[in-house]
């Protein structure tokens, strides 16, 4: 996202709806998320609090009050538990939401857009591409710890912000509908991709079936663990898990698979040349170590065995989701060019092929690490 300072009067005005304690120096578009619009509100006092303003994408999240209610339940739970951990700094490690002046968790503007504000966590970094094993290890620890902290959150409090979010059967139904409608006239360009998806479909239902059979427990998981959704500090130590909009019941393999999707890939998620997509096995091993160091305390054997299935499923599901959006005419994900979603589809498809080829090596690393931390 560009780093220019916004002079948009509307944005400057709506900031005044929140309990923001700052003389504002500037407001800049921030981050590289695909869903929300994010701005960094810079305090004129360098020692004061900075803020993060977000317009919540209500095409993606149809029930914003439910979404914000979940967010408050999750952050309140974390703010009760984190202070009990020796050496913890709750303000740095848990997102802090800023209320509006009328004590609401979000503000709805006259155009029907929803806005929220967090404390900006200064001195942190989020990585679109992981560079070192330490970063990968710390990310694994952060997401494993996050799942452990939420294990005792009352699931009745949490609503589905996007129903069937990681249900591959629903995702395939949505793709089939998009193919039938072909609103953008693009189906003819993606016949090999559709064939690939259909050939793999049956084997990708395994986690769902194990869940339905009661073999895999549902837990509260993050559901969007791509690596730029964990903030690391200046020393590349894990600081805070962010982007809590999809925290919902699900399977741990989904979170593991989504992180690995972004860590193991030697190329970008939207790499234009699929031949550059390869696997960085040392980063995979480092993430697995960090994750299992935390999660081995609560994972069942069935869950440990399901992790590799998540590693294959989530990139495959991403192929299905990017392609569906391409066929729908790019309504869901932000795009930077007319065929961006196609480029993403092809890059993720190349990743699925690589993962399938190396499945045994990856499973061996998971089991070896599991034994080590048992
Ligand atoms: P999206 O759903 O669009 O991905 P995120 O909530 O992940 O939105 O925010 C986008 C980016 O903004 C993140 O990847 C991260 O770089 C940054 N970010 C989010 N929350 C904070 C925060 N509280 N402090 C500092 N940076 C943040
Ligand atoms: C979106 O919001 P962001 O950019 O962290 C998406 C994820 C996808 C991801 C693909 C709510 O994540 O599910 O895996 O893009 N979030 C939502 O990069 O759909
Ligand atoms: Mg994000």
């Amino acid at each position: 996202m560009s780093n220019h300072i916004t002079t948009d009067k509307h944005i400057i005005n709506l900031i005044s709806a929140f309990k923001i304690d700052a003389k504002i120096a500037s407001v800049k578009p921030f981050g590289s998320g695909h869903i929300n619009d994010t701005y960094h509100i810079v305090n004129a006092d360098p020692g004061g609090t900075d803020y993060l303003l977000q317009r919540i994408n209500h095409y993606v999240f149809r029930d914003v009050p439910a979404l914000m209610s979940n967010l408050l339940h999750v952050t309140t739970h974390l703010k009760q538990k984190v202070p009990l951990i020796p050496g913890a700094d709750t303000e740095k490690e848990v997102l802090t939401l800023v209320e509006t002046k009328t004590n609401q968790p979000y503000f709805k503007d006259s155009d029907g857009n929803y806005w929220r504000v967090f404390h900006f966590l200064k001195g942190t970094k989020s990585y679109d591409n992981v560079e070192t094993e330490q970063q990968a290890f710390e990310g694994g620890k952060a997401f494993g710890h996050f799942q452990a902290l939420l294990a005792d959150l009352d699931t009745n409090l949490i609503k589905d912000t996007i129903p069937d979010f990681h249900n591959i059967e629903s995702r395939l139904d949505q793709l089939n509908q998009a193919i039938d409608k072909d609103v953008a006239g693009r189906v003819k360009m993606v016949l090999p991709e559709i064939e690939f998806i259909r050939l793999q479909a049956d084997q990708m239902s395994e986690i769902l079936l194990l869940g339905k059979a009661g073999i895999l427990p549902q837990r509260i998981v993050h559901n969007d663990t791509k690596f730029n959704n964990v903030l690391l500090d200046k020393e590349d130590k894990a600081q805070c898990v962010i982007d809590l909009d999809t925290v919902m019941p699900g399977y741990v393999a989904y979170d593991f698979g989504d992180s690995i999707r972004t860590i193991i890939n030697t190329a970008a998620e939207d790499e234009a040349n699929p031949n550059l997509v390869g696997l960085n096995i040392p980063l995979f091993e480092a993430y697995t170590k960090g994750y299992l160091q935390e999660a081995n305390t609560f994972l069942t054997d069935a869950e440990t065995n399901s992790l590799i299935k998540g590693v294959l499923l989530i990139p495959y599901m991403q192929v299905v989701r990017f392609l569906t959006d391409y066929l729908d005419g790019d309504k869901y994900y932000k795009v930077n060019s007319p065929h961006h979603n196609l480029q993403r589809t092809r890059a993720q498809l190349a990743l699925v092929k690589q993962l399938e080829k190396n499945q045994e090596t990856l499973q061996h690393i998971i089991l070896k690490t599991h034994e080590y931390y048992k």
Side-chain angles (χ1 to χ4, degrees):
M1 193 178 269
S2 73
N3 204 29
H4 66 267
I5 293 173
T6 186
T7 49
D8 186 330
K9 286 269 170 335
H10 180 60
I11 288 183
I12 310 276
N13 278 339
L14 70 88
I15 290 172
S16 64
F18 290 88
K19 293 179 187 168
I20 287 181
D21 177 21
K23 187 171 171 300
I24 296 167
S26 61
V27 180
K28 299 177 191 172
F30 194 76
S32 55
H34 295 348
I35 303 294
N36 297 314
D37 293 336
T38 303
Y39 300 86
H40 179 188
I41 304 177
V42 183
N43 197 328
D45 170 7
T49 306
D50 282 8
Y51 298 87
L52 189 105
L53 170 73
Q54 277 186 329
R55 184 168 72 94
I56 304 163
N57 183 329
H58 65 271
Y59 175 80
V60 166
F61 297 106
R62 303 293 169 110
D63 186 349
V64 175
L67 168 94
M68 293 305 291
S69 155
N70 281 3
L71 181 76
L72 282 170
H73 283 305
V74 171
T75 52
T76 304
H77 185 81
L78 294 173
K79 278 181 191 286
Q80 279 161 2
K81 295 193 73 177
V82 170
L84 308 176
I85 303 167
D89 184 338
T90 310
E91 169 64 21
K92 286 187 171 171
E93 294 171 30
V94 184
L95 283 177
T96 303
L97 194 72
V98 177
E99 288 185 331
T100 67
K101 287 178 180 157
T102 56
N103 307 322
Q104 299 304 309
Y106 61 88
F107 176 74
K108 191 173 179 188
D109 70 15
S110 52
D111 298 329
N113 284 312
Y114 296 86
W115 299 83
R116 69 181 170 204
V117 171
F118 294 105
H119 283 185
F120 184 92
L121 292 164
K122 284 187 187 174
T124 60
K125 279 181 280 182
S126 77
Y127 293 92
D128 290 339
N129 298 307
V130 180
E131 290 152 10
T132 67
E133 287 173 40
Q134 189 198 329
Q135 291 164 0
F137 176 78
E138 288 291 320
K141 255 174 56 182
F143 284 121
H145 187 57
F146 184 82
Q147 287 176 347
L149 287 171
L150 293 184
D152 58 344
L153 173 63
D154 180 0
T155 48
N156 293 317
L157 298 173
I158 301 297
K159 297 162 196 129
D160 270 359
T161 51
I162 303 180
D164 291 325
F165 188 59
H166 276 151
N167 181 328
I168 188 59
E169 288 170 1
S170 312
R171 293 292 181 185
L172 287 165
D173 286 347
Q174 287 160 8
L175 175 63
N176 285 330
Q177 284 167 27
I179 294 170
D180 289 345
K181 290 191 189 132
D182 196 15
V183 290
R186 289 170 162 175
V187 168
K188 57 183 177 298
M189 294 166 62
V190 296
L191 298 176
E193 287 76 15
I194 293 174
E195 194 195 349
F196 176 86
I197 289 169
R198 288 188 171 155
L199 280 173
Q200 307 268 322
D202 284 347
Q203 76 202 58
M204 293 294 173
S205 291
E206 246 185 298
I207 293 181
L208 270 189
L209 295 176
L210 290 169
K212 279 184 197 152
I215 295 169
L216 290 179
Q218 283 231 335
R219 299 181 188 275
I220 301 273
V221 295
H222 184 283
N223 278 312
D224 190 2
T225 53
K226 73 184 197 189
F227 202 77
N228 69 12
N229 285 329
V230 57
L231 299 179
L232 304 187
D233 70 11
K234 285 191 179 117
E235 273 82 47
D236 272 345
K237 295 272 182 211
Q239 183 172 320
C240 183
V241 170
I242 59 165
D243 206 345
L244 306 177
D245 297 333
T246 49
V247 174
M248 285 182 284
Y251 302 109
V252 291
Y254 294 160
D255 278 3
F256 188 74
D258 209 6
S259 294
I260 296 306
R261 180 180 75 80
T262 54
I263 289 166
I264 202 169
N265 193 347
T266 52
E269 179 184 68
D270 59 353
E271 172 56 54
N273 177 1
N275 293 329
L276 295 182
V277 172
L279 303 188
N280 187 325
I281 306 281
L283 291 184
F284 171 82
E285 185 158 7
Y287 185 91
T288 304
K289 279 185 184 154
Y291 177 70
L292 287 180
Q293 185 180 301
E294 297 293 324
N296 247 4
T297 52
F298 63 86
L299 290 185
T300 65
D301 284 347
E303 284 180 302
T304 306
N305 283 321
S306 75
L307 297 177
I308 188 67
K309 301 184 203 303
V311 169
L312 294 166
L313 171 66
I314 297 292
Y316 171 84
M317 195 168 336
Q318 208 60 72
V319 174
V320 174
R321 294 176 62 193
F322 284 144
L323 185 60
T324 303
D325 197 32
Y326 184 64
L327 297 181
D328 281 344
D330 309 314
K331 295 204 171 63
Y332 189 97
Y333 295 105
K334 291 184 195 171
V335 288
N336 301 332
S337 62
H339 300 294
H340 199 175
N341 271 320
L342 178 58
Q343 202 167 300
R344 288 169 170 153
T345 302
R346 291 185 170 150
Q348 292 295 295
L349 198 152
L351 181 62
V352 174
K353 286 184 177 164
Q354 292 283 338
L355 291 165
E356 283 177 344
K357 240 193 272 167
N358 291 278
Q359 210 179 137
E360 276 180 25
T361 310
L362 303 180
Q363 173 67 340
H364 177 71
I365 292 170
I366 295 172
L367 294 181
K368 188 182 74 181
T369 313
H370 169 65
E371 281 306 312
Y372 179 79
Y373 284 119
K374 221 160 62 172

